[in-house]
Amino acid sequence: MKAIIFDLDGVLVFTDKFHYQAWKKMADKMGIYFDEVINNRLRGVSRRESLEIILERYEGAPLSEKEKEDLMEYKNDYYKELLKTMGPDDVTEDTRNALKLLREQGHKLAIGSSSKNTKFILKQVAIDDMFDAVSDGTNITHSKPDPEVFEKAAQFLGESYDNCVVVEDAYAGIDAAKAAGMTAVGIGDATSYDKCDYKIKSLMELTELFK
């Protein structure tokens, strides 16, 4: 395997609490019930799909496209304010060491995330210089489980799909990796998914799996 593509949230950094707070603020504004169970359904999917899931409990007048866009912007503006509180300490030493060693082993590294805030987050936590390519919500039209974000990452790296490993914590991400014909490594919640080719507890395990 020549290239390793990482999901961002839940793999390298953990911004779930910020997403939850921002969506909750938007839902409260609209008088929509929202809790952590519903929030878990939003993991790995696009901002638009997340909004539609939340709106399943909306009981008001039908919303126009413009109103939906405004709601997504309202959520994202607050989310970005929360992201500004992040810093280098939000990436563990284990993660930094794993990325460094993988690069030393000759692997190309990329990000494959549906988030449009990916580059901002990478810069905030000071790991933006660790990756050879970034494929995110700004360059795709379909979110996971569609494989587009990982396929674009492979293309940016100049690697064939079967030379790529994807590291994911969400079922939708594992499905996307398999749909692209890539090796799927599950971490976190994804370790309970039987579609994973490998399951790890720490990113340092990658340095042994693919050395």
Side-chain angles (χ1 to χ4, degrees), residues 21-22 25 73-82:
Q21 291 169 24
K25 185 177 177 71
E73 186 174 351
Y74 179 84
K75 179 266 176 181
N76 197 52
D77 285 346
Y78 185 58
Y79 175 63
K80 286 194 290 188
E81 286 302 311
L82 296 172

Side-chain angles (χ1 to χ4, degrees), residues 80-184:
K80 286 194 290 188
E81 286 302 311
L82 296 172
L83 290 180
K84 290 178 183 178
T85 67
M86 296 184 75
D89 289 345
D90 286 294
V91 176
T92 66
E93 201 62 32
D94 181 79
T95 294
R96 289 186 186 278
N97 289 337
L99 294 173
K100 182 174 182 290
L101 187 51
L102 288 168
R103 288 179 67 87
E104 290 173 355
Q105 290 176 338
H107 296 292
K108 295 179 182 178
L109 305 184
I111 296 291
S113 170
S114 299
S115 172
K116 292 182 178 179
N117 297 299
T118 295
K119 295 181 181 69
F120 179 79
I121 295 170
L122 292 174
K123 191 171 182 63
Q124 283 291 112
V125 299
I127 56 171
D128 50 319
D129 60 345
M130 301 292 286
F131 299 94
D132 302 292
V134 174
S135 176
D136 61 18
T138 65
N139 61 250
I140 59 172
T141 55
H142 304 288
S143 61
K144 306 166 191 175
D146 189 279
E148 183 183 14
V149 71
F150 296 139
E151 292 172 346
K152 288 283 180 66
Q155 292 163 18
F156 293 159
L157 292 173
E159 293 292 340
S160 62
Y161 301 163
D162 58 355
N163 275 344
C164 295
V165 175
V166 169
V167 185
E168 262 285 356
D169 73 312
Y171 282 31
I174 297 296
D175 286 339
K178 299 301 291 182
M182 299 179 182
T183 299

Side-chain angles (χ1 to χ4, degrees), residues 17 21 37 52 54 71 118 128 183:
K17 61 182 179 182
Q21 291 169 24
V37 174
E52 294 298 339
I54 294 170
L71 288 174
T118 295
D128 50 319
T183 299

Side-chain angles (χ1 to χ4, degrees), residues 43 168-171 174 185-196 198-200:
R43 299 185 64 218
E168 262 285 356
D169 73 312
Y171 282 31
I174 297 296
V185 177
I187 194 170
D189 290 348
T191 56
S192 61
Y193 198 24
D194 57 10
K195 287 189 178 182
C196 295
Y198 300 95
K199 298 175 182 180
I200 60 174

